[in-house]
Amino acid sequence: MPAQKLHRSDWKEGTVYLFQFPRAKHIPSPSPFSLKLETWLRINDIPYENVSTEFKKTSSKGQVPFIEFNGRQIGDSNQIIPFLTKELNKETVDTRLSKEDQAYRQAFHHLLENSIFWAIVANRKETADFFFTEDGMLGHFSGIKKTLTQHIGPVAFKRKLKNMSHVQGYGRNTVYELEEQMIKDLDALSTFLGSKHYFFGNEPSSLDVTAFGQLCQVLYTPLVTKGVVPHMHEHNKNLVDFVERIKAHYWPDWERATSALNFSSDWKHVEPIAEKVAP
């Protein structure tokens, strides 16, 4: 096998280099997969360093996020998590799941990443202008790059999302149809979570970080499906509380990461935020 070309040549043994987009206002990452992966690293107490893609670096597969670890590059969050679990010999909630719970995990994982995710993409083909404002990611640019990004970025990005969601199918739906599907998915997820802290009990699993990554996009970024978030607050309070619970335990630096666009992975030395419960 030919040697992989690494972006980080000065790597340290045992440190995960997490390549992802820079921070955004209101949410640490507009990528549910980056947010999922960073949260999983935090939950499992794995040393990592954030590395900005600078909106141009990708893995050899052309994906973001990706990691570099001990001289190897791995793309796709669904490949990275089992890879690190094995390489680091980690005992996680997932390694202790029964066959039945593994089946539930797989089914709801697909609901999140193959239905809710595509509904978010279909939303963003209409709302993507947000990411090219000061409330989104425009703060990372200056001068002529900022002007060009502000005026050209939304058009190109929305066109890309429109093409992607149209090919997949969700982009062909009306707003009403999209909202109806999202609510059905969220209701199913809410029913499965029930009164539990996490989907399989008192400790978070890979399903929990998958859900967290996707639900944060629904709650904290603009949607054209205006009825979804009010529905969550009224009928899926346990999902809203679930998001707040993970934020409180594993994202004490949420405010610093969003307001100040701070990219530090040193999250343990930040005063914890209080867990909020939906009224």
Side-chain angles (χ1 to χ4, degrees):
M1 181 183 292
Q4 291 177 304
K5 184 178 179 181
L6 300 177
H7 292 284
R8 187 70 181 256
S9 59
D10 59 339
W11 54 271
K12 297 176 185 176
E13 189 83 19
T15 296
V16 174
Y17 296 94
L18 172 57
F19 288 78
Q20 60 173 317
F21 299 117
R23 298 295 192 208
K25 296 283 188 179
H26 304 296
I27 189 168
S29 178
S31 162
F33 307 107
S34 294
L35 192 52
K36 157 192 170 181
L37 185 53
E38 187 168 5
T39 305
W40 184 84
L41 291 168
R42 291 177 174 211
I43 286 171
N44 289 284
D45 199 24
I46 296 172
Y48 75 97
E49 287 184 21
N50 279 319
V51 183
S52 174
T53 62
E54 300 172 338
F55 302 105
K56 57 186 178 183
K57 297 184 183 117
T58 66
S59 71
S60 58
K61 294 181 177 181
Q63 294 174 304
V64 176
F66 64 96
I67 66 163
E68 291 182 354
F69 179 72
N70 291 352
R72 294 183 62 183
Q73 185 187 102
I74 309 293
D76 190 328
S77 62
N78 292 323
Q79 299 299 321
I80 293 167
I81 288 175
F83 167 78
L84 288 175
T85 300
K86 183 178 179 181
E87 284 291 307
L88 298 171
N89 197 27
K90 280 283 180 181
E91 182 180 342
T92 66
V93 172
D94 292 83
T95 61
R96 301 192 297 269
L97 291 179
S98 67
K99 290 289 186 182
E100 183 179 7
D101 283 340
Q102 288 176 37
Y104 281 122
R105 179 191 62 189
Q106 187 73 357
F108 279 100
H109 173 90
H110 282 290
L111 178 145
L112 285 155
E113 294 201 344
N114 292 318
S115 186
I116 289 178
F117 168 70
W118 283 106
I120 292 167
V121 173
N123 266 277
R124 287 184 179 175
K125 71 183 176 68
E126 305 295 338
T127 63
D129 303 75
F130 164 80
F131 296 105
F132 299 89
T133 68
E134 295 293 347
D135 282 336
M137 305 181 79
L138 195 62
H140 294 289
F141 299 90
S142 60
I144 188 65
K145 281 188 177 180
K146 184 170 188 175
T147 302
L148 290 173
T149 300
Q150 190 172 18
H151 293 285
I152 297 174
V155 177
F157 191 46
K158 287 166 80 172
R159 185 187 301 119
K160 179 181 179 180
L161 297 180
K162 182 178 180 180
N163 291 339
M164 288 170 57
S165 60
H166 189 79
V167 170
Q168 190 274 341
Y170 270 42
R172 301 168 190 254
N173 291 334
T174 65
V175 172
Y176 174 78
E177 290 168 338
L178 202 58
E179 184 171 300
E180 188 175 46
Q181 183 61 53
M182 290 181 77
I183 286 173
K184 286 179 181 177
D185 288 343
L186 291 165
D187 284 348
L189 196 64
S190 175
T191 297
F192 182 56
L193 178 61
S195 60
K196 303 187 294 293
H197 275 197
Y198 301 107
F199 286 102
F200 296 108
N202 293 321
E203 296 178 76
S205 66
S206 64
L207 178 60
D208 294 282
V209 296
T210 299
F212 180 71
Q214 301 291 340
L215 293 176
C216 284
Q217 310 302 317
V218 174
L219 289 168
Y220 304 125
T221 66
L223 300 176
V224 70
T225 49
K226 299 296 185 184
V228 169
V229 173
H231 176 89
M232 287 184 69
H233 282 281
E234 184 174 353
H235 301 286
N236 309 140
K237 289 180 182 178
N238 61 341
L239 294 181
V240 179
D241 292 345
F242 163 84
V243 168
E244 291 295 340
R245 183 173 301 117
I246 291 184
K247 281 175 62 179
H249 291 179
Y250 301 105
W251 281 92
D253 56 335
W254 183 279
E255 187 66 27
R256 184 181 71 176
T258 54
S259 296
L261 302 179
N262 188 285
F263 211 38
S264 172
S265 54
D266 182 23
W267 62 279
K268 292 182 179 180
H269 300 97
V270 178
E271 190 69 24
I273 57 176
E275 181 180 334
K276 297 178 183 177
V277 177

